């Protein structure tokens, strides 16, 4: 393996680690000395079963270059699968230091054509698939902290520009990715006392999941991984509750909802007065960026 050893001795879980961004992250962590648990259910773009074990193939890649990795093929959007994921790291290596939540797939439709099943499936894998591994990892780290072994723990969640700005034809995906941002902020606030830092990255890169929806993306998954590795390492001490966008050679700190122009009359408005005040405030407010695809 080649690298600086930034993650030497750390044990890292990467969900959705068999292809695309997850594979790039797993290989990058291994190159920096981490032992990696590569999770991938091995499904197609729409979540349907597919042949082969992409997680096992990535493990073979890591081992072939002198690294240490194990595969996990469970469904991390179930309580049992998420619990077994954390157990796999602890059984194989005796510890867990970093969780990278990355698993996901797409079922794109305009809202008027979006079936309930397509909504449930995408929200389940992206949002619940972030929550359950996070919950089980946090339970382990809290136990460690209470036992006098405070961890230097890191969580890197995967959101999207679709979740930050919206994306036409991706209402289910955008809602799930926006939910991941909210989850990140809450987790960061609740867990810092246990030695846990939680951040999110909105990657923009050509993968099998994005190439059809965003054909103009020039970046590749390997461009995003260095930031994820740093966030997942001890070197990122003091950084938590932040959202970054990464594309190619560009890294941006995303600044979310914050107080803008305000009017306060100290009493209840009439509808007409409220409308007049809101219209005046909008003239002083920044215009939002366009929704992707609009």
């Amino acid at each position: 393996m080649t690298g600086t050893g930034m993650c030497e001795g750390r044990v890292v879980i990467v969900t959705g680690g068999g292809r695309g961004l997850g594979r790039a992250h797993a290989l990058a962590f291994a190159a920096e000395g981490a032992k990696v648990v590569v999770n991938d259910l091995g499904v197609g773009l729409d979540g349907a079963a597919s042949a082969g074990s992409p997680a096992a193939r990535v493990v073979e890649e890591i081992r072939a270059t002198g690294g240490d990795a194990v595969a996990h093929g469970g469904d991390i959007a179930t309580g049992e699968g998420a619990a077994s994921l954390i157990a796999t790291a602890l059984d194989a290596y005796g510890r867990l230091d970093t969780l990278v939540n990355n698993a996901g797939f797409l079922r794109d439709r305009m809202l008027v054509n979006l079936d309930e099943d397509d909504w449930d499936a995408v929200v389940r894998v992206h949002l619940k698939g972030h929550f359950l591994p996070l919950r089980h990892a946090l339970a382990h780290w809290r136990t460690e902290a209470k036992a006098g072994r405070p961890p230097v723990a890191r969580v890197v969640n995967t959101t999207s520009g679709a979740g930050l700005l919206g994306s036409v034809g991706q209402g289910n995906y955008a809602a799930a990715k926006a939910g991941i941002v909210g989850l990140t902020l809450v987790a960061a606030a609740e867990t810092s006392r246990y030695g846990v830092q939680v951040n999110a990255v909105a990657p923009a890169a050509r993968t099998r999941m994005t190439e059809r929806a965003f054909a103009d993306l020039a970046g590749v998954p390997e461009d995003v991984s260095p930031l994820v590795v740093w966030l997942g390492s001890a070197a990122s001490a003091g950084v938590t509750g932040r959202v970054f966008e990464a594309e190619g050679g560009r890294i941006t700190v995303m600044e979310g909802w914050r107080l803008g122009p305000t009017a306060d009359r100290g009493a209840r408005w009439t509808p007409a007065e409220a409308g007049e005040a809101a219209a005046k405030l909008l003239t002083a407010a920044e215009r939002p960026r366009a929704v992707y695809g609009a």
Side-chain angles (χ1 to χ4, degrees), residues 12-31:
V12 178
I13 289 173
V14 181
T15 70
R19 302 183 178 95
L21 285 160
R23 172 182 172 274
H25 299 342
L27 293 173
F29 273 108

Side-chain angles (χ1 to χ4, degrees), residues 43 83 95 118 160 167 172 181 194:
V43 298
R95 61 184 296 126
D118 292 331
S160 167
S167 181
N172 48 1
V181 173
Y194 303 133

Side-chain angles (χ1 to χ4, degrees), residues 32-278:
E32 292 295 334
K35 298 175 175 64
V36 185
V37 178
V38 182
N39 160 267
D40 203 292
L41 193 56
V43 298
L45 279 173
D46 61 353
S50 62
S53 172
R57 290 194 292 269
V58 174
V59 167
E60 290 174 3
E61 285 187 77
I62 291 172
R63 291 177 176 173
T65 54
D68 194 346
V70 295
H72 178 270
D75 182 357
I76 47 80
T78 67
E80 180 182 2
S84 73
L85 174 65
I86 306 307
T88 295
L90 299 178
D91 291 344
Y93 301 118
R95 61 184 296 126
L96 173 62
D97 301 286
T98 298
L99 168 65
V100 179
N101 283 316
N102 172 76
F105 63 80
L106 297 175
R107 290 188 184 175
D108 293 351
R109 300 282 190 281
M110 301 297 279
L111 287 172
V112 71
N113 296 320
L114 186 62
D115 292 337
E116 186 176 350
D117 288 346
D118 292 331
W119 174 275
D120 288 344
V122 169
V123 171
R124 173 186 177 273
V125 172
H126 284 275
L127 189 52
K128 192 175 182 182
H130 269 62
F131 162 65
L132 286 174
L134 174 64
R135 177 182 178 277
H136 286 280
L138 293 180
H140 166 69
W141 287 325
R142 182 180 64 176
T143 298
E144 289 292 289
K146 289 185 173 181
R149 298 183 296 270
V152 181
R154 305 287 185 261
V155 178
V156 184
N157 290 330
T158 306
T159 182
S160 167
L164 302 174
L165 299 174
S167 181
V168 171
Q170 295 189 304
N172 48 1
Y173 176 73
K177 289 304 192 183
I180 288 167
V181 173
L183 179 65
T184 298
L185 300 179
V186 172
E190 290 184 352
T191 63
S192 60
R193 64 185 182 275
Y194 303 133
V196 182
Q197 293 181 183
V198 187
N199 295 284
V201 172
R206 287 188 63 83
T207 68
R208 67 174 189 150
M209 198 169 82
T210 62
E211 61 186 3
R212 289 187 297 185
F214 304 106
D216 59 339
L217 289 176
V220 294
E222 289 76 10
D223 296 331
V224 178
S225 298
L227 175 61
V228 174
V229 169
W230 180 78
L231 288 171
S233 75
S236 63
V239 179
T240 194
R242 294 288 194 161
V243 178
F244 298 84
E245 189 175 68
E247 179 182 9
R250 177 177 58 83
I251 295 173
T252 303
V253 177
M254 303 303 286
E255 297 182 335
W257 294 106
R258 60 182 64 233
L259 295 178
T262 303
D264 184 357
R265 65 175 296 177
R268 183 177 301 158
W269 306 87
T270 67
E273 290 169 339
E276 182 180 352

